[in-house]
Structures are given as C-alpha cells and as structure tokens.
C-alpha cells in the first residue's frame, strides 16, 4: 500500500511540474476519490468478499454474490459498468458507495437484457422478469450512497438469506434495493431504476433521501416503487415514476416496533401508474399510498393517468391494509399527516372518479383539498358524503399539464401499456396550469440525520418547488 501511495505521489508531482512551465495553461484534474485497493477487472468476479475501488470507466463481470463485510467499504467510481450474471447480488454488511456522475453514470445490469420502448406488457417484456438480483443491505450496513447510477433489470429471486436479523426478508424475494438498519443512512439520488418483478425497493428502518430519480416498468402484476416500511424516515422528492404496477411511493409502519414510518413526498411526477395490480381493485393506489399507521406530508405532486390519486388508507378491508395514522403527535417528526397542492389529470372517467379515492374496497380517509388541481372540494360540493363513489366524467381531459413532449390525451388506453420514458420529455411548458401552483411554505423536508457530503452523504436536499411535479422551470429538481 505504501508503494502505491509513493508512486501516486510521484506521478502527481511530475504532472504539477509539467504544468508549471511558463505559458503552460493546462489544468491538472483532481484525482478521483478512492478507498482501499483497486479491484481488478481482468476476469469474472466470483462470489466472495470484496472491498476497495472499482475503477472509473472500467467494465466488470460478476459471476456470484459480491459481499461487503461489516467495517469494509466498496466504492464504484464513475463510468463503471457492472455486468451481473447468474442472478448475482450485492450483499452489503458494511458501506457501499456508487459514485456516478451526470456525464459518466454507473450502470449495473443484466447483460442478457435490452431495454425496449413503446407498448409494454407482462409476458412480453423482460423488464418484469428479474435478471440480476439486487442490493441487499443488512443490519450492520450503516451507510449506502447511490448517485447517478442505472439499476437495470434487477429482481432475480434470492436463493438464500444473505444475513440474519432482516425484516420480512425471505428466500425468493425479488427487490432491487433492500435496506434494514434503524441506525443506518440510505441515499439514492439522481439515479434510474428500470424493470422489476416486485417492489423496486423495501426499506426497514433508517434515514433516507430518495431524490431526483427516474423509475420505469417496476412491478409485474403487483409491487410498489419506493416502498418504505418499519421505522424508516426521510424524503421522497423530485422523482419521475412511470408505468409502475401499483403505488409509486408508499409508507407503512409494519415490520418493526422501533417507531413509525414517516416521509415527506413532494414534487414527484407519477405517470400511468397502478394498472398492473392483479389484487383487489380499490385496495391499493396508483400513485401515493399512506397506510399501516405511518405518517406523511404529500405536496406538490403531479399525477397523470394514474389509477388512484393520493390514498390515505382508512382501515381493514379486502386486503392487508390498515388505518394510516392521521392523529396529532407533538413528539413525532411529522406531527400529523397532511397533504395538498397536488395535481391530477385523467383520460377516462374511471381515473377521474378516483382523483379523491373512494371506498371501493375499504374505507379511505383522503379528504378533498381546495388547493389541489382540480379543486376537488369545490367539485364535489358541500353535500358530498366523503368516501362515496362520485361521477368524475366531466373532469376527463381537463387541466392538461402541458408536458414539453408527451401525448395527452393518451390514445386507446395507452396509460396501461406506456411504462417507460422513451424519448418523451415530462418537463412543463411555461403555460402549464401546474406552473407556480405548488407550495414552498406549508412544510419542510426532513434534514435530521441526513449527512451532506460529496462522497459519504447527500449531494443536496432539494427544497419544495413552486411548480408541481419533479421538473422546475428554473432548472432545479429532476436532472434527467
């Protein structure tokens, strides 16, 4: 190790000397952040214990589970491509850092699979069949940071339990990301998740910043996008979620007695979510779901052709869903579940009739808000009995959000099968009715426990934006 350091120092001094010549305007680039020894890509990485650095812009082939022991760190530098074969997983008991950049993202994928565009259905699209496994982070994994990283075609079934003490983790699980450490920190920023057969994520305990990501084709005949459980606390903001099987973002306090699951969910864009759920209609959402005694703040979200609007679960019914915690608690991080300033658009009466979810399968407690678009409190009127089915047919096609490039109305029920971004642009045009209609003062993101650091933390907790959805006219928000 000392020899490597001496060689590195000598090369740096030579570079500095070469650039010190009179009139030389060359700029010396800063060395990449690294940890431990470089990991060679000269052959297939067999199952085993790994630590150190996967080197920038290199391609690695993985043939078995990559395990990072407690106290060790695995760093993936920018531009790395990791080809996962044999359904391999990352088993993280220590620290994982995937440090892609906007210009040189990291890619973790199944080399057998190719992304497709256009109409997407289960049985015809390999996105819904797990290729490689997932990133499973155990009770001793105290920090995971994933930035500017493509996670494509994950979700192959677990062949064996990777660690003990995990919440609800079973052989056969098919998640892309799993984290279970009440004292740990999980950062997922500016990344992409493409394809999964079940929940894309499962979070049990810990502090999270899930921000500025893009999610496509997650869940085959069920499964959520960002699914936070247990005592997880944090933010889900500025994410674009298109073509999810059921909920795009969800909180539920099951899985641990350590405390309530509490999240802010703001400035997300949900498109065509909720139509591949083969469970009981009305027992799950198609955009936002708050259930099982969890708390949330849900603001400034843009929902387009989703099966249901913001759904606050109201109690037991035909599915395993329990009353969300809407009570006041001065000692809680989120003192009371609250929501508003959310935007809904729908291309048929079934969708518009659930902008405010009704008691189709079980009670819900989502009340119409005058700050929403459309103003559902005014639309339903003072005589409306909360929870009953209503006629939303006059709302069909109203309040087109005016995306830069996406066809609305969607033709022939395309909201059921258009599940990927493709070449579309979900930014807002200047004249959009969603511009300037969000709130920047009604709530604040969670910051406690989220480190801000270029390498070992968040790149930035983007505050609420005045434009509804994940893209802001001033260029902030989602950067994809």
């Amino acid at each position: 190790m000392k020899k490597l350091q001496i060689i590195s120092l000598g090369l740096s001094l030579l570079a500095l000397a070469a650039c010190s010549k009179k009139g030389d305007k060359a700029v010396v680039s800063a060395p990449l952040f690294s940890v431990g020894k470089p990991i060679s890509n000269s052959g297939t990485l067999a199952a085993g214990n790994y630590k150190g650095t996967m080197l920038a812009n290199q391609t690695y082939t993985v043939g078995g589970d990559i395990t990072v022991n407690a106290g060790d760190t695995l760093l993936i530098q920018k531009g790395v491509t990791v080809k996962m074969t044999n359904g391999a997983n990352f088993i993280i008991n220590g620290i994982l850092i995937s440090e892609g950049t906007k210009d040189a993202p990291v890619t973790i994928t199944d080399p057998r699979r190719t992304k497709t565009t256009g109409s997407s259905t289960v049985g015809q699209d390999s996105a819904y069949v797990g290729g490689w496994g997932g990133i499973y982070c155990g009770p001793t994994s105290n920090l995971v940071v994933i930035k500017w990283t493509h996670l494509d075609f994950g979700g192959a079934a677990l062949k064996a339990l990777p660690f003990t003490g995990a919440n609800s983790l079973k052989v056969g699980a098919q998640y892309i990301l799993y984290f279970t450490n009440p004292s740990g920190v999980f950062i997922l920023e500016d990344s992409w998740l493409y394809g999964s057969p079940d929940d894309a994520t499962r979070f049990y305990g810990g502090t999270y910043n899930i921000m500025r990501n893009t999610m496509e084709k997650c869940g085959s005949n069920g499964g959520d996008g960002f699914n936070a459980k247990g005592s997880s606390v944090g933010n889900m903001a500025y994410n674009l979620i298109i073509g999810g099987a059921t909920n795009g973002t969800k909180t539920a306090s099951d899985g641990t007695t350590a405390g309530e699951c509490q999240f802010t969910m703001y400035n997300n864009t949900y498109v065509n979510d909720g139509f591949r759920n083969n469970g009981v209609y009305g027992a799950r959402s198609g955009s936002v779901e708050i259930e099982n005694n969890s708390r949330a703040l849900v603001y400034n979200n843009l929902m387009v052709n989703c099966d249901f609007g913001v759904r606050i679960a109201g109690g037991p019914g035909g599915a395993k869903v329990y009353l969300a915690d809407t009570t006041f608690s001065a000692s809680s991080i989120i003192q009371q579940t609250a929501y508003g300033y959310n935007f809904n658009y729908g291309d048929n009466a079934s969708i518009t009739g659930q902008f405010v979810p009704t008691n189709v399968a079980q009670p819900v407690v989502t009340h119409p808000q005058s700050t929403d678009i459309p103003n559902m409190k005014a639309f339903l009127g003072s005589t409306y009995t909360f929870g009953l089915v209503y006629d939303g047919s006059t709302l069909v096609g109203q309040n087109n959000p005016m995306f830069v490039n996406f066809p609305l109305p969607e033709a022939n029920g395309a909201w059921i099968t258009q599940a990927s971004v493709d070449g579309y642009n979900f930014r807002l045009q200047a004249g959009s009715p969603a511009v300037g209609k969000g709130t920047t003062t009604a709530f604040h993101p969670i910051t406690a426990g989220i480190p801000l650091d270029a390498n070992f933390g968040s790149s930035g907790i983007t505050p609420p934006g005045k434009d509804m959805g994940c893209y802001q006219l001033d260029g902030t928000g989602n950067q994809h």
Side-chain angles (χ1 to χ4, degrees):
M1 185 63 183
K2 288 182 179 179
K3 185 176 180 180
L4 287 173
Q5 291 173 337
I6 292 169
I7 293 173
S8 177
L9 178 60
L11 291 173
S12 298
L13 290 173
L14 286 172
L16 287 171
C19 295
S20 65
K21 295 177 181 179
K22 187 175 180 179
D24 193 340
K25 297 182 180 180
V27 177
V28 178
S29 59
L32 290 176
F33 169 67
S34 64
V35 297
K37 295 181 179 180
I39 296 174
S40 172
N41 67 337
S42 61
T44 298
L45 301 182
N49 300 324
Y50 291 83
K51 61 182 178 179
T53 300
M54 289 185 170
L55 298 176
N57 304 313
Q58 301 298 309
T59 297
Y60 293 81
T61 299
V62 174
D65 288 354
I66 299 294
T67 300
V68 179
N69 289 330
D72 290 343
T73 298
L74 174 64
L75 168 67
I76 306 175
Q77 290 182 336
K78 68 176 186 178
V80 166
T81 297
V82 184
K83 296 180 177 180
M84 306 288 285
T85 65
N86 300 322
N89 302 279
F90 284 89
I91 309 301
I92 310 300
N93 297 306
I95 295 174
L96 171 67
I97 300 175
S98 180
E99 200 165 73
T101 65
K102 187 173 186 178
D103 295 330
V106 169
T107 298
I108 304 175
T109 190
D110 182 336
R112 301 171 299 173
R113 307 291 171 85
T114 302
K115 292 182 180 180
T116 60
T117 60
S119 180
S120 173
T121 57
V122 175
Q124 297 181 349
D125 193 330
S126 65
Y128 307 116
V129 181
W132 63 283
I135 299 174
Y136 288 87
C137 310
T140 61
S141 178
N142 58 323
L143 178 65
V144 171
V145 178
I146 299 174
K147 298 177 181 178
W148 291 103
T149 297
H150 288 274
L151 301 170
D152 299 337
F153 300 108
L158 267 180
K159 298 173 185 176
L161 288 179
F163 33 67
T164 60
N167 289 289
S168 302
L169 186 60
K170 300 177 181 179
V171 172
Q174 294 181 283
Y175 312 130
I176 302 174
L177 298 169
Y178 177 95
F179 188 87
T180 176
N181 182 354
S183 301
V185 174
F186 190 101
I187 306 294
L188 178 68
E189 295 177 348
D190 301 301
S191 293
W192 301 261
L193 292 84
Y194 181 96
S196 73
D198 198 350
D199 293 354
T201 74
R202 279 285 184 105
F203 301 137
Y204 288 93
T207 305
Y208 298 79
N209 200 50
I210 311 297
M211 197 163 281
R212 304 179 302 272
N213 304 290
T214 297
M215 180 180 287
E216 308 167 82
K217 297 183 180 180
C218 285
S220 55
N221 291 316
D224 302 311
F226 296 118
N227 187 354
K229 292 178 172 291
S231 57
S232 306
V233 172
N235 306 302
M236 300 177 183
Y238 292 100
N239 302 294
L240 171 62
I241 303 171
I242 180 171
T246 53
N247 312 292
T249 57
K250 172 183 169 181
T251 59
S253 290
D254 54 301
T256 179
T257 59
E260 286 185 311
C261 181
Q262 303 181 69
F263 270 80
T264 68
M265 301 178 182
Y266 63 93
N267 284 104
N268 298 295
T269 297
Y270 308 80
V271 180
N272 298 355
D273 293 320
F275 297 102
R276 289 196 307 279
N277 174 30
N278 62 0
V280 177
Y281 174 76
R284 284 182 172 85
S285 179
S287 55
V288 176
E289 175 98 353
I290 314 302
E291 64 175 54
N292 290 6
N293 297 310
S294 63
R295 297 173 182 267
L297 301 175
V298 186
Y299 288 93
N300 298 352
N301 298 292
L302 177 60
M303 288 157 279
V304 172
N305 282 335
C306 291
D307 209 9
F308 289 85
V310 176
R311 186 173 182 275
I312 315 297
K320 185 183 176 182
V321 181
Y322 305 102
L323 182 67
D325 193 343
T326 58
T327 62
F328 179 82
S329 172
S331 61
S332 295
I333 296 172
I334 295 176
Q335 294 185 341
Q336 191 165 23
T337 291
Y339 43 93
Y341 297 89
N342 295 303
F343 188 109
N344 284 279
Y345 170 90
D347 274 331
N348 77 356
S350 176
I351 293 171
T352 58
Q354 294 296 332
F355 283 172
V356 176
T358 62
N359 300 340
V360 176
Q362 61 189 151
V364 292
V365 290
T366 313
H367 288 270
Q369 302 293 309
S370 61
T371 57
D372 287 349
I373 297 177
N375 180 343
M376 293 303 293
K377 190 171 184 177
F379 176 81
L380 294 172
S382 59
T383 61
Y384 171 69
T385 300
F386 172 74
L388 296 185
V389 173
Y390 60 88
D391 181 4
S393 58
T394 59
L395 298 174
V396 172
Q398 299 298 310
N399 302 304
N400 187 321
M402 295 175 60
F403 291 131
V404 168
N405 173 25
F406 184 72
L408 289 176
E410 293 185 75
N412 303 318
W415 53 84
I416 298 176
T417 59
Q418 180 61 46
S420 52
V421 174
D422 298 349
Y424 296 120
N425 186 337
F426 293 94
R427 290 170 175 80
L428 301 174
Q429 298 181 48
S432 167
V435 168
K437 298 302 176 58
T439 177
T440 60
T441 60
F443 71 103
H444 300 284
I446 291 170
T447 59
I450 300 175
L452 297 177
D453 189 271
N455 301 310
F456 293 101
S458 169
S459 295
I461 301 173
T462 307
K466 64 181 181 179
D467 305 325
M468 293 173 167
C470 68
Y471 295 107
Q472 302 293 292
L473 286 187
D474 64 6
T476 59
N478 195 304
Q479 298 298 297
H480 298 157

